[in-house]
């Protein structure tokens, strides 16, 4: 599994990104008064306890390697590659919201709303802000403190219970981040999957977590959703280890997770506006929105490797793309 480590992390991140995109697609369709395609609500309800959780959890697997760097290198890297795209894409989102309010909301999005976009706990770029904070907090704590803080953070998040507010979400996600690191520090824990009865139990817990949402149970940021997240990732790791052939598009999404996450919502919202203007039905509208939310970021990934100006959207002072070697006749 060690040799495939980055591969399965990329695949799990990609699945999390796809879950986020489909969830935001549902919100966009409902807000525009467009009916959902069959199965979309069920899918999003089932994955409500998984999408961001698995992304944060597997991000913790890379923490130990990141903390080996000096303070200067560490902070420079996180400011350039996480804090900077947070600022850029929060700004872009604010611009899109202003333009959208002119066309659909009657100039309802003013300067105060623009300022609030950067501070709001509900702006989708919260993930980047949290991720930056998690790395810095982890740097300030010892491994033992990080490990012992996991149950404390989970109990606190459950006790506060403001559902999707940052008082619950921040400590809950930080606990998952530290839990990912803890699992990565003890890789032998994954050996339990070799026992059939353990694997069957993990599949059962995962299935229970997936059906809880559609049945109406609260699954966001609760202590009892943590086992489902962990077992879901464990089952995905097992499946990924058995898929040795590359899954190019999936691994690209996972490898460029920040690009896809940061970029998807403005284009998703624009596509939803266009669907209304064109009077599209639920199937064409859904396809258009998903194509914009995943296709345009995929294009930006390619452009980023060719044009430094595009690279600035995701990294402060990116390196210039390598020039192609001259063709020898």
């Amino acid at each position: 599994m060690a040799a495939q480590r980055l591969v399965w992390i990329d695949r799990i991140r990609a699945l999390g990104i796809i879950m986020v995109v489909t969830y935001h697609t549902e919100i966009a369709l409902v807000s525009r008064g467009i009916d959902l395609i069959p199965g979309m609500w069920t899918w999003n309800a089932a994955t409500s306890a998984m999408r961001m959780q698995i992304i944060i959890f597997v991000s913790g697997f890379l923490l130990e390697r990141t903390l080996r760097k000096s303070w200067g290198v560490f902070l420079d890297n996180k400011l350039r590659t996480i804090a900077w795209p947070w600022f850029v894409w929060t700004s872009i989102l604010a611009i899109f919201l202003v333009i959208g309010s002119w066309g659909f909301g009657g100039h309802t999005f003013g300067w105060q709303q623009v300022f609030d976009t950067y501070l709001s706990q509900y702006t989708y770029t919260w993930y980047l802000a949290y991720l930056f904070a998690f790395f810095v907090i982890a740097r300030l704590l010892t491994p033992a403190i990080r490990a012992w803080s996991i149950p404390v953070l989970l109990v606190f998040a459950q006790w506060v219970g403001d559902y999707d507010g940052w008082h619950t979400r921040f400590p809950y996600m930080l606990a998952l981040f530290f839990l990912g690191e803890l699992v990565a520090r003890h890789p032998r824990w994954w050996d339990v999957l070799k026992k059939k009865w353990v694997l069957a139990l993990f599949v059962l817990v995962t299935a229970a977590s997936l059906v809880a949402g559609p049945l109406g149970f609260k699954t966001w940021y609760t202590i009892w959703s943590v086992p489902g997240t962990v077992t879901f990732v464990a089952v995905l790791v097992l499946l990924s280890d058995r898929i040795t052939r590359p899954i190019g598009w999936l691994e690209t999404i996972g490898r460029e997770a920040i690009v896809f996450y940061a970029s998807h919502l403005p284009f998703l919202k624009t596509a939803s506006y266009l669907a209304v203007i064109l009077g599209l039905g639920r199937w064409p509208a859904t396809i258009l929105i998903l194509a914009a939310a995943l296709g345009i970021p995929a294009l930006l990934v390619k452009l980023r490797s060719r044009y430094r100006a595009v690279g600035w959207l995701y990294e402060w002072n990116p390196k210039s793309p390598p020039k192609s070697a001259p063709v020898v006749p």
Side-chain angles (χ1 to χ4, degrees):
M1 187 186 74
Q4 295 291 324
R5 183 181 182 210
L6 291 178
V7 174
W8 67 255
I9 287 179
D10 287 342
R11 290 172 180 173
I12 292 173
R13 278 177 174 167
L15 184 57
I17 293 295
I18 293 171
M19 291 177 180
V20 169
V21 169
T22 55
Y23 173 62
H24 287 162
T25 298
E26 175 184 331
I27 294 175
L29 290 169
V30 172
S31 66
R32 303 297 166 213
I34 302 174
D35 293 335
L36 300 179
I37 63 173
M40 174 168 280
W41 180 87
T42 302
W43 162 265
N44 289 325
T47 58
S48 62
M50 303 293 183
R51 43 183 173 256
M52 291 307 305
Q53 289 87 325
I54 63 174
I55 296 175
I56 293 289
F57 179 60
V58 299
S59 294
F61 279 76
L62 304 176
L63 179 57
E64 182 181 5
R65 185 179 65 177
T66 301
L67 295 182
R68 294 174 189 166
K69 302 174 183 177
S70 67
W71 252 110
V73 173
F74 165 83
L75 196 56
D76 175 73
N77 177 264
K78 300 312 173 191
L79 285 170
R80 289 189 304 103
T81 62
I82 300 179
W84 174 250
W86 166 82
F87 173 76
V88 169
W89 286 94
T90 303
S91 302
I92 291 174
L93 176 65
I95 294 172
F96 269 69
L97 291 174
V98 170
I99 295 174
S101 70
W102 290 347
F104 292 87
H107 301 274
T108 59
F109 207 85
W111 285 111
Q112 183 60 47
Q113 287 77 16
V114 170
F115 180 73
D116 290 344
T117 301
Y118 293 91
L119 303 179
S120 173
Q121 60 186 336
Y122 301 114
T123 301
Y124 83 105
T125 51
W126 67 263
Y127 161 64
L128 298 175
Y130 279 28
L131 190 61
F132 175 78
F134 291 171
F135 276 112
V136 173
I137 292 172
R139 183 81 194 204
L140 296 172
L141 304 177
T142 65
I145 293 177
R146 293 196 295 268
W148 284 107
S149 69
I150 294 170
V152 176
L153 290 167
L154 289 174
V155 170
F156 178 80
Q158 189 69 45
W159 175 70
V160 174
D162 63 348
Y163 195 59
D164 198 21
W166 77 272
H167 296 90
T168 290
R169 185 167 59 191
F170 189 92
Y172 178 86
M173 289 299 192
L174 181 58
L176 281 182
F177 185 68
F178 287 164
L179 183 59
E181 181 210 8
L182 183 63
V183 173
R185 285 181 178 274
H186 300 84
R188 291 183 179 179
W189 289 5
W190 296 106
D191 291 341
V192 299
L193 289 176
K194 296 178 181 179
K195 300 180 179 180
K196 293 183 178 180
W197 71 269
V198 173
L199 177 59
L201 178 62
F202 274 36
V203 171
L204 182 62
V205 173
T206 299
S209 299
L210 291 173
V211 301
L215 291 177
F217 292 96
K218 177 185 174 183
T219 56
W220 284 14
Y221 316 135
T222 58
I223 290 178
W224 46 82
S225 68
V226 175
T229 299
V230 175
T231 58
F232 185 58
V233 169
V235 172
L236 290 176
V237 170
L238 183 64
L239 292 175
S240 185
D241 278 353
R242 296 185 177 185
I243 302 174
T244 56
R245 296 183 62 181
I247 309 174
W249 62 272
L250 193 65
E251 289 149 15
T252 297
I253 294 175
R255 187 170 56 253
E256 301 287 352
I258 287 184
V259 175
F260 279 86
Y261 187 91
S263 309
H264 81 278
L265 197 61
F267 298 114
L268 185 153
K269 285 184 171 293
T270 301
S272 71
Y273 295 150
L274 184 59
V276 172
I277 294 172
L278 297 177
L280 299 181
R282 58 181 180 177
W283 277 104
T286 301
I287 293 172
L288 174 64
I289 293 172
L290 289 175
L294 292 173
I296 296 179
L299 176 61
L300 289 171
V301 168
K302 292 184 177 295
L303 295 177
R304 180 190 184 190
S305 64
R306 299 179 183 179
Y307 303 102
R308 189 165 182 257
V310 178
W312 271 94
L313 294 172
Y314 307 100
E315 181 180 354
W316 172 267
N317 195 25
K319 295 180 180 179
S320 299
K323 296 181 179 179
S324 57
V327 178
V328 180

